[in-house]
């Protein structure tokens, strides 16, 4: 019942499923490491999906569509940043509002595209390597979004840990008062971090509407933005654990479908909840093993410089 | 979106109440009709088709009606609030289009005896609350016959939403159709526990195809599975809407929900005062269930499908005509009888030949 071709196909599905979550959650991780909790991921993701699809459909260019999605996510994140960082509004309420606004706007933008379709973003085979057995297609025969997610992961991991910008960003997230005293522009840095998160969420939305299921339908993100948010928390704000979480979630959500297909008679309701249970379980274990990896100390606290 | 709409509705309701005191007779000119949807109208599936019906009402009556809708209303307390507001806003007839709106609709109907309520897919009625549903299983029997003719692997993949009678009777009807052509047909069933989650529906389609299925049937609302079938070179059946654009080489046919004739009729009755609380369960014969063009199949399969469709329309064939045997071997309908409507509407068992269990049974 399992052969190498099938294993390869299953793994390829897992990679695709994990990619949306990985891209969106990496962006949110950066925003949170700088101290801002943005609950608007779902809204920024869906606006990216809608604008990306509308642009790609109208222009015929997937690249333009993807760029537009990134810009749309950034634009919406800027609304959130203005409210929370510059006007010191409540981050939780503003984030929820951002999600509601995003869902509504996306429905409006996408309304005239309902019932149309696009050709999916093509798989970019890397010559030679994509013909390897089992892992060839999985690692080297994916669409550009998958490669982008790997690039983002490297960029975020290395950038946060090894660069001066990363150090300042983390300092702002841990203690905005100290960073301010050292002369760092706290609010500007936070705004840029939130916009990076918006760009990533927009890109994740484009992955859905241009590659995964290349059409537009309202609410098509179906809660993936919330899962991305949860992954950030459970990964204890560490990019590599985020990678593990996203792939574990993707793997279990694909495998449970296969288990159902084999007709073993396990209740599907239980199987459907497995990705959540497995991911929460695994990530709680990871963070329990390594203590002292809590949230950035200034997370969710608005910074108002005294004059 | 919903919150914004709800807020607008609340304001509208307030305005209508304020206005009602001053001008009691002003509403008599134009009939106000409202719809409540479970999903977004942009789902290109269930809610989209209901909204097509609403548009047909507007087209049929022009200036004489004023229609409105609220989309993405969750089943539960939120639904009651929305329906209540619509009733207070002066709507004469309100259509609530998901099973879970049954209790909220009933509650609001008791409070507004002069408003007509129409609940889709439920079974509770009142003096001013009617129910309506469509016999989708008639179409699914035809899908089964086509699948059995077209499949090389002998296995159909079925993407299902929730284990409720409507979905289970659809699986059974399809398998009865398939068995009428090939008694050994198999089905792999995957539940996504959602009506609308395109990426998950696509994942389910991929999983089924990876497991050797070469025909995909679905009881979920998005065209995602159809697109996967097209990309992977297998055949598929669409759901709710004609999805041929998403699978020009994959779609064999689609079961299309056509609520327009019913909505136009009921709004007309609300206008001329002949509206009564009824229980309507219409199918292929009445045009409430339609089959999209039979495509991507040889002529003999197409002919079989058309003949079966004609027989169901004429009443010569009932998909649940006996003998129907349950998985455990007990007889659901003897030869010469058919499974009763009420048993179809409460179906929680699989027919013989399905190697799986109904979830939760």
């Amino acid at each position: 019942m399992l052969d190498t071709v099938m294993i390869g196909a299953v793994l390829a599905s897992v990679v695709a499923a994990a990619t949306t979550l990985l891209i969106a959650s990496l962006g949110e991780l950066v925003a949170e490491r700088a101290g801002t909790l943005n609950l608007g991921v779902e809204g920024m993701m869906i606006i990216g999906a809608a604008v990306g699809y509308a642009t790609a459909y109208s222009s015929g260019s997937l690249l333009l569509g993807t760029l537009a999605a990134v810009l749309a996510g950034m634009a919406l994140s800027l609304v959130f940043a203005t409210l929370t960082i510059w006007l010191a509004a409540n981050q939780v309420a503003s984030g929820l509002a951002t999600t509601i606004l995003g869902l509504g706007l996306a429905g409006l933008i996408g309304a005239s595209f309902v019932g149309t379709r696009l050709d999916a973003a093509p798989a970019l085979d890397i010559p030679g390597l994509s013909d390897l057995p089992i892992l060839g297609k999985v690692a080297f025969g994916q669409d550009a979004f998958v490669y982008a997610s790997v690039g983002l992961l490297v960029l975020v991991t290395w950038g946060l840990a090894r660069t001066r910008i990363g150090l300042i960003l983390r300092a702002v997230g841990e203690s905005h008062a100290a960073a301010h005293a050292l002369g760092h522009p706290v609010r500007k840095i936070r705004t840029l971090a939130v916009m990076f998160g918006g760009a990533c969420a927009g890109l994740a939305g484009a992955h859905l509407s241009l590659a995964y299921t290349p059409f537009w339908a309202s609410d098509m993100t179906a809660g993936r933005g919330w899962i991305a948010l949860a992954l950030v928390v459970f990964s204890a704000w560490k990019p590599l654990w985020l990678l593990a979480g996203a792939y574990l979630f993707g793997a279990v959500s694909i495998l449970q479908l296969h288990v159902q297909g084999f007709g073993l008679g396990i209740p599907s309701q239980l199987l459907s909840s497995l990705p959540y249970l497995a991911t929460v379980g695994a990530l709680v274990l990871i963070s329990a093993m390594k203590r002292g990896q809590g949230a950035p100390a200034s997370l969710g606290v608005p910074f108002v410089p005294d004059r | 979106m919903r919150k914004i709409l709800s807020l607008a509705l609340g304001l509208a309701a307030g305005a209508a109440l304020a206005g009602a005191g001053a001008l009691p007779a002003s509403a008599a000119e134009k009939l106000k009709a409202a719809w409540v949807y479970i999903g977004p109208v942009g789902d290109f599936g269930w809610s989209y088709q209901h909204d097509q019906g609403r548009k047909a009402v507007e087209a049929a009556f022009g200036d004489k009606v004023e229609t409105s809708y609220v989309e993405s209303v969750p089943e539960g307390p939120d639904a009651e609030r929305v329906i209540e507001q619509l009733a207070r806003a002066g709507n004469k007839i309100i259509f609530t289009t998901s099973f879970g709106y049954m209790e909220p609709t009933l509650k609001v109907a008791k409070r507004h005896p002069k408003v007509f309520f129409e609940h889709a897919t439920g079974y509770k009625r009142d003096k001013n609350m009617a129910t309506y549903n469509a016999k989708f299983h008639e179409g699914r029997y035809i899908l089964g016959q086509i699948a059995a003719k077209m499949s090389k692997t002998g296995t159909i993949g079925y993407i299902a939403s929730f284990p409720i009678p409507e979905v289970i009777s659809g699986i059974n009807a399809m398998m009865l159709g398939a068995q009428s052509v090939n008694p050994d047909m198999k089905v792999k069933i995957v539940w996504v526990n959602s009506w609308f989650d395109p990426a998950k529906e696509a994942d389910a389609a991929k999983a089924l195809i990876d497991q050797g299925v070469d025909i995909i049937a679905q009881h979920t609302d998005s065209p995602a599975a159809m697109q996967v079938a097209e990309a992977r070179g297998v055949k598929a059946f669409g759901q709710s809407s004609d999805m041929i654009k998403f699978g020009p080489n994959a779609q064999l046919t689609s079961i299309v929900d056509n609520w327009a004739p019913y909505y136009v009729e009921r709004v007309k009755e609300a206008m001329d005062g002949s509206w009564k609380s009824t229980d309507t369960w219409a199918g292929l014969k009445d045009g409430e269930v339609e089959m999209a063009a039979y495509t991507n199949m040889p002529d003999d399969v197409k002919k079989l499908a058309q003949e079966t469709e004609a027989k169901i329309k004429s009443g010569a064939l009932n998909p649940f005509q006996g003998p129907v045997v349950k998985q455990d071997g007990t007889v659901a309908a003897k030869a010469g009888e058919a499974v009763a409507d009420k048993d179809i509407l409460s179906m929680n068992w699989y027919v013989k030949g399905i190697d799986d269990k109904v979830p939760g049974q």
Side-chain angles (χ1 to χ4, degrees), chain A residues 191-209:
Chain A
T191 304
L192 289 173
V194 165
M195 285 172 71
F196 180 79
C200 289
L203 185 65
H207 178 236
L208 282 178
S209 71

Side-chain angles (χ1 to χ4, degrees), chain A residues 28-38 80 84-85 91 168-176 186 189-190 193-194 237 295-303:
Chain A
E28 175 67 11
L29 182 137
V30 169
E32 292 192 16
R33 284 298 282 269
T36 314
L37 177 70
N38 185 356
F80 170 83
T84 56
I85 299 171
Q91 293 183 8
I168 296 171
L169 190 141
R170 281 185 287 137
V172 167
E174 291 300 335
S175 169
H176 49 219
V186 171
I189 290 166
R190 284 193 171 161
V194 165
W237 293 268
S298 295
L299 181 61
V301 186
F303 175 66

Side-chain angles (χ1 to χ4, degrees), chain A residues 9-172:
Chain A
V10 172
L11 289 178
S13 300
V14 171
V15 171
T19 295
T20 320
L21 296 174
L22 183 59
I23 295 175
S25 54
L26 277 171
E28 175 67 11
L29 182 137
V30 169
E32 292 192 16
R33 284 298 282 269
T36 314
L37 177 70
N38 185 356
L39 296 184
V41 180
E42 178 85 359
M44 301 186 301
M45 201 192 252
I46 192 93
I47 202 94
V51 172
Y53 185 86
T55 309
Y57 187 82
S58 309
S59 69
S61 161
L62 289 173
L63 189 65
L64 266 184
T66 310
L67 279 176
V70 168
L71 290 177
M74 272 169 116
L76 192 56
S77 73
L78 202 54
V79 175
F80 170 83
T82 309
L83 288 172
T84 56
I85 299 171
W86 298 94
L87 302 173
N90 180 291
Q91 293 183 8
V92 172
S94 308
L96 292 173
T98 304
T99 287
I100 295 167
L101 176 66
L103 287 168
L105 273 180
L108 196 65
I109 293 165
S112 52
F113 297 93
V114 169
T116 63
R117 58 169 285 275
L118 273 177
D119 289 324
L124 303 173
D125 288 357
I126 295 173
L129 294 174
S130 64
D131 297 330
L132 294 172
I134 306 183
L135 288 178
K137 283 277 174 218
V138 179
F140 305 109
Q142 298 279 3
D143 56 54
F145 290 97
V146 174
Y147 302 131
S149 74
V150 177
L152 269 175
L153 176 74
V154 173
L155 180 78
V156 170
T157 312
W158 172 77
L160 279 178
R162 296 264 176 262
T163 66
R164 186 175 152 74
I165 300 171
L167 182 67
I168 296 171
L169 190 141
R170 281 185 287 137
V172 167

Side-chain angles (χ1 to χ4, degrees), chain B residues 106-226:
Chain B
L106 193 64
K107 271 192 200 164
V108 180
K110 286 196 193 302
R111 288 200 289 265
H112 298 269
K114 290 197 173 145
V115 178
F116 302 138
F117 293 86
E118 297 262 358
H119 178 237
T121 72
Y123 53 83
K124 288 193 178 170
R125 280 167 292 278
D126 207 336
K127 283 195 291 291
N128 60 331
M129 176 175 164
T131 55
Y132 62 104
N133 201 348
K135 294 180 177 172
F136 302 112
H137 62 264
E138 292 183 345
R140 291 196 183 269
Y141 186 86
I142 303 174
L143 305 191
Q145 289 196 325
I146 298 171
K149 283 275 187 193
M150 295 294 294
S151 175
K152 292 186 183 70
T153 62
T155 310
I156 309 167
Y158 205 105
I159 303 169
S161 46
F162 292 102
I164 60 171
E166 184 194 331
V167 178
I168 291 168
S169 65
I171 296 171
N172 283 336
M174 187 191 77
M175 285 313 285
L176 290 170
Q179 288 164 357
S180 74
V181 172
N182 173 5
D184 297 326
M185 278 301 286
K186 295 285 172 219
V187 63
K188 281 181 187 285
I189 305 162
V190 167
W191 301 89
V192 292
N193 286 299
S194 169
W195 284 112
F196 184 77
D197 183 340
K200 206 167 176 185
E201 293 165 41
D203 289 342
K206 286 182 207 162
L208 286 165
I209 295 168
D210 289 341
Q211 290 196 10
V213 154
D214 61 351
I215 309 260
I216 298 276
Q218 66 175 72
H219 203 142
T220 44
D221 287 346
S222 91
M226 180 63 74

